[in-house]
Amino acid sequence: MIASHFPFALENENANPAPGSQNSAFLEEKAFRARTVLVFGTITDVLAAETVRRLLALDAESAAPIDMIVSSPGGHLESGDAIHDVVRFIDAPVNMIGTGWVGSAATHLYLSVPRERRVCLPQTRFLIHQPSGGAGGRASDMALQAKEIIKARERIAAVIARQTGQPLERVREDIEQDLWMPAVDAVAYGLVSRIIERRSELAQP
């Protein structure tokens, strides 16, 4: 029974469902059977936990590829880190599919797979930039936060350089300010391997 491998289904099947919840559960199960994970909206610890549960459940179900569709402006860097690392941790290969916009921490998790498994739809825009912080409080705390932001910036720059093939120095310069890229430019930069319009194109090299 699929529910045994479906921890993100409704927990109490006997409870009176809220309006629309039955349809939501149906769509969740269809997405599970299609081995598709959606990452939409701001990346938070809640979204990261939900995404990681889906990835682990699908990985336990089968080693077949998982399609992850990403449309997010970014969000909490460490929550993006969690998704990034779990994508690399599981055995099932993940196809990253960008749509809408993929920015900041969302670009970071998008880069968790090899370039050949990173595709996007035609209207997708990508954003890379350095981590931001709202340092406040005592001077010593602000200095510590500034050091941590610099460390995070170097780490993110290293990931972008490694996954795109761009020189690290160029990436450091590029992320000093917001760098927006339409799909064609993202392919040229190395963020994306190719632009697709149909799901059937995922299987093509």
Side-chain angles (χ1 to χ4, degrees):
M1 181 178 178
I2 194 167
S4 62
H5 300 288
F6 197 49
F8 39 90
L10 294 176
E11 294 182 0
N12 186 352
E13 296 179 355
N14 296 321
N16 292 325
S21 62
Q22 289 179 323
N23 186 52
S24 177
F26 171 77
L27 293 176
E28 288 277 9
E29 183 169 342
K30 293 291 285 186
F32 184 87
R33 291 185 181 277
R35 299 185 66 76
T36 301
V37 176
L38 305 181
V39 178
F40 275 59
T42 303
I43 297 172
T44 64
D45 56 344
V46 174
L47 184 144
E50 184 177 309
T51 303
V52 166
R53 281 198 298 271
R54 283 165 165 72
L55 290 169
L56 293 175
L58 288 167
D59 186 52
E61 184 79 7
S62 166
I66 299 168
D67 295 336
M68 180 177 286
I69 302 178
V70 182
S71 180
S72 167
H76 189 244
L77 176 59
E78 284 73 14
S79 297
D81 283 337
I83 300 172
H84 178 110
D85 288 348
V86 170
V87 166
R88 297 171 65 88
F89 171 78
I90 61 177
D91 293 325
V94 176
N95 297 315
M96 287 288 177
I97 305 162
T99 185
W101 61 341
V102 181
S104 191
T107 305
H108 180 56
L109 71 87
Y110 180 86
L111 290 173
S112 60
V113 303
R115 190 185 309 181
E116 62 268 19
R117 295 210 303 269
R118 301 195 305 260
V119 301
C120 74
L121 302 184
Q123 307 305 319
T124 314
R125 291 198 307 157
F126 291 82
L127 168 66
I128 58 174
H129 62 185
Q130 62 179 314
S132 59
R138 297 177 300 181
S140 58
D141 292 336
M142 294 172 64
L144 179 60
Q145 291 178 47
K147 289 180 181 179
E148 291 303 313
I149 290 173
I150 292 172
K151 289 180 183 178
R153 181 183 64 190
E154 287 300 303
R155 179 166 61 84
I156 293 302
V159 170
I160 295 172
R162 182 179 68 246
Q163 295 298 86
T164 63
Q166 295 291 342
L168 181 58
E169 282 304 316
R170 177 182 175 178
V171 173
R172 285 173 176 156
E173 292 178 4
D174 288 342
I175 66 174
E176 281 298 313
Q177 296 180 330
D178 289 355
L179 176 59
W180 286 96
M181 287 177 269
V184 172
D185 291 352
V187 171
Y189 198 87
L191 288 174
V192 182
S193 64
R194 55 199 172 93
I195 302 167
I196 65 173
E197 295 187 16
R198 303 280 190 280
R199 187 166 194 162
S200 58
E201 296 176 65
L202 276 175
Q204 299 175 11

